[in-house]
Amino acid sequence: MVDHKLLLRKLELYGIVNRELAWCHSYLLDRKQVVCLNGSESREALMLHGVPQGSILGPLLFILFLNDLPLYTSAQLDLYADDTTVTAFADVKNLATLNSSLNKSVSEIQLWASANKLPLSNDPRKNWAGQMHGMW
């Protein structure tokens, strides 16, 4: 899930400062959520991480948070909304190079995710797209 302090730091690096940065801080601060399921409603929970779901700014803030990932990977990444795809190719005679390249990319993504406090699933049944969205 998106760490608010890291998100605000990235916004500052993108040039959002002063009143605008203070507004973003205020927008993220003290947000609460309630879950409704089958007519039952949970208690309010303080949101310490993540971007507001269902808001106009939520997807934009998430994209800005994720925007620097390609700078830290050697592979070609395609980012669209909350989906990330790693693209690699190799000659069929050189699959070992492809395997090495993909393993390097996975390691780089894991390092970036760790530095950005984003948990990745180790469940092999989930694909990368499932790991790189939803919970953030």
Side-chain angles (χ1 to χ4, degrees):
M1 293 194 244
V2 171
D3 181 274
H4 291 166
K5 288 180 185 177
L6 284 173
L7 173 59
L8 292 168
R9 178 69 181 128
K10 288 182 181 200
L11 292 175
E12 188 175 16
L13 291 172
Y14 291 137
I16 299 172
V17 294
N18 304 323
R19 285 185 5 189
E20 293 79 10
L21 187 63
W23 184 90
C24 290
H25 182 264
S26 174
Y27 180 75
L28 295 169
L29 187 68
D30 293 328
R31 283 196 164 266
K32 297 177 181 145
Q33 79 172 16
V34 173
V35 175
C36 298
L37 180 65
N38 296 329
S40 296
E41 195 172 284
S42 71
R43 287 186 255 164
E44 281 187 350
L46 187 61
M47 298 305 302
L48 302 174
H49 306 284
V51 294
Q53 300 296 303
S55 70
I56 292 172
L57 288 179
L60 175 63
L61 292 173
F62 179 76
I63 289 168
L64 290 171
F65 188 83
L66 194 65
N67 193 52
D68 65 334
L69 173 58
L71 300 174
Y72 295 93
T73 58
S74 56
Q76 176 184 331
L77 295 182
D78 296 309
L79 305 174
Y80 179 77
D82 62 352
D83 289 323
T84 302
T85 303
V86 177
T87 304
F89 61 91
D91 187 290
V92 71
K93 296 175 188 172
N94 204 356
L95 293 180
T97 300
L98 178 62
N99 186 44
S100 175
S101 174
L102 288 172
N103 283 329
K104 180 180 178 187
S105 298
V106 168
S107 293
E108 291 167 342
I109 291 168
Q110 288 173 327
L111 282 172
W112 181 90
S114 177
N116 284 274
K117 301 179 182 179
L118 293 174
L120 296 178
S121 172
N122 288 330
D123 186 343
R125 295 170 293 174
K126 293 183 180 178
N127 62 29
W128 275 96
Q131 295 175 31
M132 300 292 288
H133 77 279
M135 296 274 306
W136 295 356

